[in-house]
Amino acid sequence: MLDNNRLRIAMQKSGRLSEDSIKLLTTCGIKINLKKQELISFSENMPIDIFRVRDDDIPGLVMDQVVDLGIVGENVLEEELLRRGIQSKKILYKILQRLDFGKCRLSLAIPCSKKYVNLLSLQNACIATSYPYLLKKYLDKKNINFNFFILNGSVEVAPVAGLSDAICDLVSTGATLEANGLKEVEILYNSQACLVSRLGPLPSVKKILIEKLITRIQGVIKARESKYIMLHAPSSKVQSIISLLHGAEHPTISRLAGETNKVAIHMVSSETLFWETMEQLKVLGASAILVLPIEKMME
Ligand code: ATP
Ligand code: ZN
């Protein structure tokens, strides 16, 4: 029997977002006893139940209030919003946080052998896609007539198979397009995974838990972008060295045992330290330069 006071989070069962979604929750301190074949897994240390489903079902589960939160690509969410809009179904949701993984774009691609000038080159084309509503929204706005048919997988083989003139599909590196002799010609939509919440009244225990979760998620994302930098610097060069380290607030400067001309500088930097900067630091006399990843942060 499901307990209504436990927070329900839906995430993709198996696919590109699954691993990062689980990792995010685990890094936030949620211990999950994942059972491969089961739809619902229970957290051992927090009042949270995890629903593992197909990503396409997540926006509906959130909007129909079956679950409280969902982790899903914005592309899937937006497609479902457009679909519901046309079917006059209720659209109730709130994006709580973009999650900085699952980054991709929805693009139009055509065979490399075909000439492309602008969107008019696609006038009356037949386009294969899993995202008919996003495609229609984009092409209607540009007054391009088109025919489409839906393929829910392997969309990129449609032109080679003679099924379509173009495709509208998700791209991250572009390697799949290239491998199928296709070139990307228009970007329709940029996407990443997001944490989406249902609307409507929630018991206060759940509200508090969601607040806590968002703070932790923000801490994980911030930590991912930040580095802990440690180095030894000649005392006379401290200012020039610090000015090379962008994104660092309030460095700690401390004495080195048995050393009077050098100090240790420690800092958290919101930017990656590139090799070029490390080389410049070295020229200024810095030594023992360490750049460490940070796992969690709370401000
Ligand atoms: P499901 O069985 O859950 O329906 P799926 O085949 O629809 O899975 P995946 O291919 O696992 O979905 O992709 C899930 C999400 O990952 C996409 O909706 C998108 O938000 C994101 N994503 C990131 N990069 C890519 C990419 N290169 N191709 C496809 N999806 C990507
Ligand atoms: Zn899917």
Side-chain angles (χ1 to χ4, degrees):
M1 189 58 186
L2 285 173
D3 177 350
N4 240 343
N5 279 319
R6 289 174 67 88
L7 192 71
R8 296 180 184 177
I9 308 179
M11 66 171 65
Q12 191 184 25
K13 183 170 167 65
S14 82
R16 289 174 198 262
L17 301 181
S18 316
E19 211 181 300
D20 284 329
S21 305
I22 291 287
K23 201 165 112 204
L24 178 69
L25 296 187
T26 311
T27 318
C28 285
I30 304 169
K31 283 195 188 145
I32 310 161
N33 184 10
L34 275 190
K35 297 215 176 89
K36 270 214 159 123
Q37 293 314 319
E38 288 180 19
L39 165 70
I40 307 170
S41 301
F42 306 97
S43 164
E44 299 160 11
N45 63 337
M46 289 171 107
I48 295 177
D49 296 339
I50 306 290
F51 285 51
R52 293 162 73 234
V53 295
R54 285 200 59 190
D55 67 344
D56 315 69
D57 294 334
I58 296 173
L61 289 171
V62 171
M63 285 188 251
D64 293 334
Q65 310 197 341
V66 178
V67 297
D68 304 303
L69 301 177
I71 297 177
V72 69
E74 289 174 301
N75 53 311
V76 171
L77 179 63
E78 186 67 25
E79 180 73 10
E80 178 64 13
L81 297 179
L82 295 171
R83 193 177 72 80
R84 287 191 165 227
I86 283 171
Q87 297 176 349
S88 310
K89 281 193 180 168
K90 61 179 177 197
I91 300 178
L92 298 169
Y93 75 102
K94 188 169 159 204
I95 293 184
L96 296 181
Q97 179 73 43
R98 293 195 163 75
L99 299 174
D100 209 33
F101 65 79
K103 288 189 178 165
C104 59
R105 52 195 188 271
L106 185 67
S107 291
L108 279 162
I110 62 168
C112 293
S113 55
K114 291 264 172 67
K115 204 171 145 216
Y116 187 82
V117 183
N118 54 32
L119 264 183
L120 285 172
S121 307
L122 289 177
Q123 193 67 269
N124 299 319
C126 176
I127 306 174
T129 189
S130 319
Y131 295 90
Y133 292 97
L134 277 163
L135 175 64
K136 184 169 162 35
K137 183 178 169 189
Y138 188 79
L139 291 184
D140 282 357
K141 218 190 274 172
K142 313 263 178 178
N143 289 320
I144 303 292
N145 289 320
F146 70 104
N147 296 309
F148 72 90
F149 72 90
I150 296 176
L151 276 183
N152 282 321
S154 307
V155 179
E156 64 285 347
V157 303
V160 190
L163 296 171
S164 72
D165 305 307
I167 65 163
C168 169
D169 201 11
L170 295 172
V171 183
S172 46
T173 61
T176 311
L177 291 184
E178 204 179 312
N180 286 281
L182 299 170
K183 60 181 173 190
E184 189 175 0
V185 292
E186 298 281 336
I187 297 177
L188 281 62
Y189 189 82
N190 282 299
S191 177
Q192 60 176 290
C194 65
L195 180 72
V196 58
S197 142
R198 75 175 176 86
L199 294 186
L202 274 175
S204 59
V205 277
K206 283 193 181 181
K207 274 194 209 148
I208 294 166
L209 191 52
I210 291 174
E211 287 297 319
K212 189 187 255 191
L213 194 58
I214 294 173
T215 309
R216 290 189 184 185
I217 289 175
Q218 286 168 346
V220 174
I221 294 174
K222 185 117 202 285
R224 232 188 265 143
E225 293 164 351
S226 304
K227 297 279 174 269
Y228 195 82
I229 300 169
M230 305 195 283
L231 53 85
H232 293 174
S235 312
S236 58
K237 295 284 170 46
V238 167
Q239 276 321 313
S240 357
I241 284 179
I242 289 175
S243 61
L244 271 181
L245 298 161
H246 305 287
E249 286 168 29
H250 313 302
T252 307
I253 300 175
S254 41
R255 280 187 49 230
L256 284 172
E259 176 68 78
T260 47
N261 298 323
K262 281 190 165 189
V263 290
I265 303 180
H266 287 200
M267 68 191 74
V268 172
S269 169
S270 56
E271 289 179 22
T272 303
L273 189 59
F274 293 107
W275 282 108
E276 288 73 15
T277 316
M278 288 177 75
E279 283 152 9
Q280 285 172 297
L281 290 169
K282 197 101 185 106
V283 170
L284 283 171
S287 57
I289 309 169
L290 295 181
V291 181
L292 309 174
I294 299 172
E295 195 183 76
K296 302 183 185 82
M297 281 174 91
M298 195 177 275
E299 288 177 332

